[in-house]
Amino acid sequence: MLVSLDGILDDDTEKSILITSERGYRGKREIRAFLGALLDAMPQAEWALTASAFGDNTLDIERSAKSPAHTISGGVDTAVFADAMIAIQTAHCPLIRARLNAL
């Protein structure tokens, strides 16, 4: 699956909040910076959605990705929507260095 930064941000607003294990990001500018760094860490990545569920105003997505630099296994995002846009999202994105996986 091809992933674009602008496409990911389509559902965010200036009031959106993204929470990771490292910190919280508020608004499109901060969220763009976080996601840009994630995509930079995953050059030429092949992304896959492994499961998703939607109920009421909440979406849960499990994902994985492989790139020459890193892999992601067990990535989970949960988003809560208001007015069809993301109000709050949590993201768990464990990066595993691909070079270590080859050992």
Side-chain angles (χ1 to χ4, degrees), residues 1 11 30-31 37 42 48 54 72 76 86 89 96 98 100 103:
M1 168 192 319
D11 296 323
E30 289 186 10
I31 295 170
M42 299 290 296
F54 187 80
I72 295 174
V76 178
I86 295 174
Q89 179 176 355
I96 301 168
L100 295 177
L103 298 176

Side-chain angles (χ1 to χ4, degrees), residues 9-50:
L9 290 165
D10 278 348
D11 296 323
D12 287 295
T13 70
E14 292 309 319
K15 293 182 179 180
S16 296
I17 298 170
L18 171 65
I19 302 167
T20 71
S21 58
E22 289 81 28
R23 61 169 278 211
Y25 302 87
R26 182 178 297 273
K28 275 194 165 189
R29 186 177 59 59
E30 289 186 10
I31 295 170
R32 175 181 289 278
F34 168 78
L35 293 173
L38 174 62
L39 294 178
D40 286 347
M42 299 290 296
Q44 303 166 338
E46 295 179 29
W47 294 84
L49 296 179
T50 54

